[in-house]
Amino acid sequence: MKRIFVAAICLGLLVGCSRTESGPKRKFVTIGTGGVTGVYYPVGGAISKMINRKSAEYGIRASVESTGGSVYNINAVLTGDIEFGVAQSDRQYQAWHGEADWDGTPQKNLRSVFSLHPEIVTLVAADDSGIQSLADLKGKRVNIGNPGSGHRGNALHILAAAGIDPDKDLRAESLKAAEAPKMVQDDRIDAFFYTVGHPAGTIQEATSGKRKVHFVPIVGMEALLEKHPYYATAIIPVEDKLYPMASSTKNVVSIGVVTTFVTSSTVSDDVVYAVVKEVFENLDEFKKLHPALGNLSHASMREGLTAPLHSGAERYYREAGILE
Ligand code: GLU
């Protein structure tokens, strides 16, 4: 009797787990993001919110995972550990073409879904460190980012362009961006790189402490921009008063990329279609979920994609007349 009862509970649980009330099999999907005080994490939350409220209709339940960032997310999507990842456009380009972290192995299963907000390479330095330009970084304690992050690659590109060898000329740290503000405030590092949308919690935290900090312009990058199609000149919009406690008061010149949303060719069309449809058809609402998303448009969300569109995304874009 007891055994039958246990079996009945298990069956009930199974049915409950795999079916929604209306019948279709429920699919659980995970979105890989970044540090919780970055922009990827709340943006991933916004996407999952859009999809979860239609859970009964689509049979999809999305959840968000805080991760090491772009490189980690692309790799986890490709191994099938997660279904979606947020990733910088330059990392998407490199993975598809087999460059940098994917040197010699183009990732042919990578698929693009849409792009999101612009991301700007942000170099934060303590006022008392005397760092006003890239050249001043020499001899300083600088966080260039954890290996799974997207910004580490940007930091390495920029340092090389400025003639700085991170191994010889810096005391380079490889910490996650989320740890950097405290390290600056505790006087354990002098500066850190973070490629991120604005406003970002990490930058708010870094600029709000007792140790005053400012943004360092990233200039002299003409050759880098020429060489890599994914970079563009950008500004950190300091004059928008996003970081009122920062010492910088004027907009700061830098370079930037765009955030993209990626998946794998092995994820089903229905899932990808549902995600794109919900975000595109409720774009005004989606944009209100984070200030960094404020300038998105259907047109901008098709820019900066290197990997082929996932067939589920393509289906939506054709139906909506966005693709011919
Ligand atoms: N761009 C960073 C990265 O790829 C993440 C930025 C964020 O979390 O908003 O690791």
Side-chain angles (χ1 to χ4, degrees), residues 13-297:
L13 278 177
L14 271 176
V15 170
C17 290
S18 62
R19 290 187 173 271
T20 61
E21 277 155 28
S22 54
K25 208 164 186 241
R26 182 176 286 196
K27 296 189 182 99
F28 293 90
V29 300
T30 303
I31 302 171
T33 61
V36 292
T37 51
V39 176
Y40 286 8
Y41 185 77
V43 163
I47 296 172
S48 69
K49 187 175 168 185
M50 305 299 284
I51 194 79
N52 285 342
R53 62 186 187 171
K54 297 276 186 73
S55 196
E57 184 179 326
Y58 294 121
I60 301 168
R61 188 85 207 157
S63 60
V64 174
E65 196 180 296
S66 169
T67 73
S70 291
V71 173
Y72 175 93
N73 294 339
I74 290 176
N75 289 333
V77 157
L78 291 167
T79 55
D81 285 340
I82 58 178
E83 285 70 26
F84 293 101
V86 188
Q88 291 177 203
S89 51
D90 49 338
R91 299 289 156 263
Q92 185 187 140
Y93 179 100
Q94 292 169 337
W96 175 254
H97 288 290
E99 297 177 7
D101 286 276
W102 302 274
D103 193 20
T105 359
Q107 301 299 315
K108 294 300 176 196
N109 285 333
L110 188 64
R111 292 292 177 272
S112 64
V113 182
F114 46 65
S115 58
L116 291 155
H117 56 283
E119 280 189 83
I120 304 159
V121 182
T122 305
L123 176 55
V124 177
D127 291 1
D128 62 23
S129 69
I131 301 168
Q132 295 298 338
S133 69
L134 287 169
D136 297 332
L137 290 173
K138 286 193 180 162
K140 304 289 186 199
R141 301 161 299 172
V142 184
N143 186 38
I144 58 170
N146 57 299
S149 73
H151 43 275
R152 185 182 174 93
N154 303 130
L156 294 174
H157 267 166
I158 289 165
L159 290 169
I164 299 169
D165 181 336
D167 297 327
K168 294 201 193 105
D169 304 329
L170 295 183
R171 283 156 69 191
E173 297 285 350
S174 300
L175 306 162
K176 288 185 171 180
E179 296 169 51
K182 190 168 189 311
M183 293 290 283
V184 171
Q185 288 305 326
D186 291 351
D187 197 5
R188 292 168 67 197
I189 57 172
D190 300 302
F192 68 90
F193 282 92
Y194 193 20
T195 305
V196 70
H198 293 285
T202 303
I203 308 295
Q204 266 152 359
E205 193 185 332
T207 51
S208 306
K210 240 174 133 182
R211 195 178 183 206
K212 289 291 160 198
V213 304
H214 60 278
F215 303 107
V216 180
I218 295 177
V219 289
M221 296 292 125
E222 292 73 19
L224 190 70
L225 266 78
E226 184 75 24
K227 189 169 172 204
H228 300 295
Y230 40 72
Y231 283 130
T233 316
I235 57 155
I236 304 169
V238 178
E239 288 163 31
D240 291 353
K241 307 247 183 312
L242 302 178
Y243 307 111
M245 308 267 289
S247 298
S248 312
T249 52
K250 296 266 171 264
N251 288 347
V252 176
V253 179
S254 183
I255 62 171
V257 293
V258 58
T259 307
T260 71
F261 199 55
V262 299
T263 188
S264 145
S265 58
T266 58
V267 172
S268 84
D269 280 10
D270 289 351
V271 169
V272 180
Y273 175 89
V275 170
V276 180
K277 185 177 159 85
E278 279 317 300
V279 171
F280 268 61
E281 294 192 350
N282 302 289
L283 189 58
D284 285 338
E285 203 188 330
F286 178 65
K287 281 158 66 168
K288 292 195 187 106
L289 296 177
H290 194 285
L293 302 174
N295 291 325
L296 294 189
S297 67

